[in-house]
Amino acid sequence: DTAVSQTPKYLVTQMGNDKSIKCEQNLGHDTMYWYKQDSKKFLKIMFSYNNKELIINETVPNRFSPKSPDKAHLNLHINSLELGDSAVYFCASSQESGSSYEQYFGPGTRLTVT
Amino acid sequence: DAKTTQPPSMDCAEGRAANLPCNHSTISGNEYVYWYRQIHSQGPQYIIHGLKNNETNEMASLIITEDRKSSTLILPHATLRDTAVYYCIVRVGAGSARQLTFGSGTQLTVLP
């Protein structure tokens, strides 16, 4: 009965490869996010997206791109992977309207680039 | 969003109240105080939020000073499962659909 799920949980790949991380939420939320947590444990927003607007953190390289096939999914595509991309990536969702105050986070995907 | 300052770490005995402080001296009138926590290797979890009144839910209580420059998250009866990093976040608006800016948080360790 998972609210926000991510696949895969672990991803090990080589530099230069292209990879994707999938995120799905079954909460009926209209806004989804990707966050990156680096080795120093700092959590940083990468993207927020709803059916109206994509907001990109200006520090995110354009090798990263979110793709949303529908309202319940926001996948993260990464091209030409670099060592510095190694981190834990968290997907989250929330409901923009109404009285909801929470963002719900997925379990994270640990990406290791070798 | 206003900057927050939290102690890097705290210990608490199991069964006792854990009081986690947060300083947000530059908070503006339309900014809310949110608390999230992250248990090791898991995604962050929402705890509570408030504007100026004290708030309580099934997880915790939030005490905001009258001048709103600081707040305290209270876990009334800490358990070992409350060991986590606790983040105090100040953000404009009550709605959830805005990105969260996480600081370094407080590592709370509940001791048996």
Side-chain angles (χ1 to χ4, degrees):
Chain A
D1 212 24
T2 306
V4 181
S5 60
Q6 295 178 227
T7 54
K9 188 169 175 59
Y10 300 96
L11 181 56
V12 181
T13 188
Q14 292 184 329
M15 286 175 56
N17 286 347
D18 302 337
K19 290 292 179 185
S20 295
I21 305 172
K22 295 185 177 181
C23 177
E24 176 181 2
Q25 54 95 3
N26 63 6
L27 299 166
H29 289 167
D30 57 14
T31 304
M32 296 183 73
Y33 313 79
W34 278 103
Y35 290 82
K36 176 182 179 182
Q37 187 166 38
D38 60 24
S39 57
K40 295 183 179 178
K41 303 297 185 183
F42 286 110
L43 261 165
K44 295 182 181 177
I45 183 71
M46 299 179 72
F47 306 99
S48 61
Y49 181 79
N50 62 24
N51 58 4
K52 303 168 196 169
E53 191 176 17
L54 170 66
I55 300 175
I56 302 172
N57 184 320
E58 61 186 14
T59 66
V60 175
N62 57 15
R63 299 181 294 104
F64 291 78
S65 58
K67 297 197 190 305
S68 180
D70 55 59
K71 211 170 102 167
H73 296 83
L74 184 66
N75 303 325
L76 182 64
H77 294 268
I78 317 170
N79 295 326
S80 303
L81 277 155
E82 300 178 357
L83 292 176
D85 298 332
S86 295
V88 181
Y89 292 84
F90 289 98
C91 177
S93 73
S94 68
Q95 182 61 32
E96 182 172 354
S97 60
S99 60
S100 172
Y101 303 104
E102 305 177 38
Q103 287 190 15
Y104 292 81
F105 285 78
T109 295
R110 182 174 295 276
L111 171 65
T112 303
V113 182
T114 61
Chain B
D1 297 333
K3 182 178 168 56
T4 62
T5 304
Q6 299 177 252
S9 64
M10 294 181 64
D11 292 341
C12 176
E14 188 177 18
R16 304 296 292 267
N19 297 287
L20 292 96
C22 180
N23 183 289
H24 31 79
S25 57
T26 61
I27 193 170
S28 59
N30 62 348
E31 289 184 308
Y32 286 70
V33 180
Y34 285 78
W35 284 84
Y36 278 72
R37 73 179 183 184
Q38 186 176 23
I39 297 170
H40 180 63
S41 298
Q42 298 181 21
Q45 176 190 24
Y46 166 85
I47 301 173
I48 199 167
H49 79 284
L51 180 62
K52 54 184 178 181
N53 297 322
N54 298 338
E55 302 288 344
T56 295
N57 63 21
E58 64 279 3
M59 287 183 69
S61 294
L62 174 60
I63 308 298
I64 303 174
T65 58
E66 193 169 343
D67 63 7
R68 304 208 323 122
K69 293 183 184 299
S70 66
S71 61
T72 301
L73 178 74
I74 301 172
L75 308 178
H77 305 287
T79 70
L80 298 179
R81 286 175 295 181
D82 293 321
T83 292
V85 178
Y86 287 77
Y87 297 98
C88 170
I89 300 167
V90 169
R91 202 193 70 184
V92 172
S96 61
R98 273 198 60 205
Q99 59 199 35
L100 298 171
T101 301
F102 288 84
S104 53
T106 296
Q107 170 66 59
L108 174 69
T109 302
V110 180
L111 304 170

